[in-house]
Amino acid sequence: MVLCKMDNMEQSLIEIYKRIENKIGLEIEHIEKIVLAHFILKNDVLELIESVSTKNFKEEKHQIIFTGLLNLFDIGLPIDKSNLINELTPNHKWVKTYLDSLEERLLTPEELTQHLKSIIDFSIKRDIIESSYKTMEMIIHKQNSNKILDSIE
């Protein structure tokens, strides 16, 4: 009976985690796309590099594109769609099609500030949710309290 109750708790926890992650994911994917498109179109990533890091992006494809932008910046090549495609296509065949699908619109300074803040805020929320999930999972499986405290720190 206790084991059944634990399994139900774990299932509920997983379900809650997935619902929150999905809700966050739908909204942030669009914001990440808009921000990346802005910086590719602007041909300047300094403000982006100073504002966020690769881990702040939820979507793996956006992490890859961001890393490509960083690489172009580091080697001194112009930040544009053509150079980004050349940089990433050897390992990621989807890049050209994806970049072609991005909306080409520069953001206002206010929009950009808000979107960059959203990316960071959502990243923090994801980290909190993930940490909470892992902690609850350890508690459900009755792991050593010292191990739980170590993972929280």
Side-chain angles (χ1 to χ4, degrees), residues 3 5 9 11-13 15 20 28 33 35 45 53 61 63-64 70 78 85 93 96 113 115 121 129 138 143 145 150:
L3 185 58
K5 198 173 195 178
M9 243 170 69
Q11 280 304 112
S12 296
L13 183 62
E15 188 178 309
I20 293 170
I28 197 61
K33 267 178 111 165
V35 167
V45 293
S53 68
K61 60 186 165 235
Q63 293 173 358
I64 291 166
L70 289 177
I85 289 168
K93 303 297 182 202
K96 182 179 182 337
T113 299
H115 288 335
D121 287 349
I129 291 166
M138 285 191 245
Q143 292 194 5
S145 58
D150 289 344

Side-chain angles (χ1 to χ4, degrees), residues 1 4 8 13-14 20 25 33-34 44 46 69 71 73 75 80 86 112-113 122 136-137 142 146:
M1 182 67 169
C4 184
N8 289 338
L13 183 62
I14 290 169
I20 293 170
K33 267 178 111 165
I34 291 169
D44 180 14
L46 190 56
L69 292 171
N71 291 345
F73 181 80
I75 60 178
D80 60 29
N86 290 337
L112 182 60
T113 299
F122 279 113
M136 287 302 296
E137 195 174 49
K142 296 185 179 188
N146 288 331

Side-chain angles (χ1 to χ4, degrees), residues 83-144:
N83 283 334
L84 190 56
I85 289 168
N86 290 337
E87 173 72 18
L88 295 175
T89 298
N91 296 318
H92 308 286
K93 303 297 182 202
W94 53 266
V95 168
K96 182 179 182 337
T97 303
Y98 190 77
L99 292 179
D100 287 342
S101 77
L102 295 178
E103 180 182 343
E104 293 193 4
R105 177 177 84 84
L106 287 174
L107 299 169
T108 66
E110 295 80 21
E111 288 174 319
L112 182 60
T113 299
Q114 183 58 44
H115 288 335
L116 289 171
K117 182 182 179 317
S118 292
I119 289 172
I120 293 165
D121 287 349
F122 279 113
S123 176
I124 292 167
K125 287 177 186 175
R126 281 192 316 274
D127 289 346
I128 291 168
I129 291 166
E130 188 174 316
S131 295
S132 300
Y133 175 77
K134 287 178 180 175
T135 302
M136 287 302 296
E137 195 174 49
M138 285 191 245
I139 291 168
I140 288 170
H141 294 296
K142 296 185 179 188
Q143 292 194 5
N144 179 309

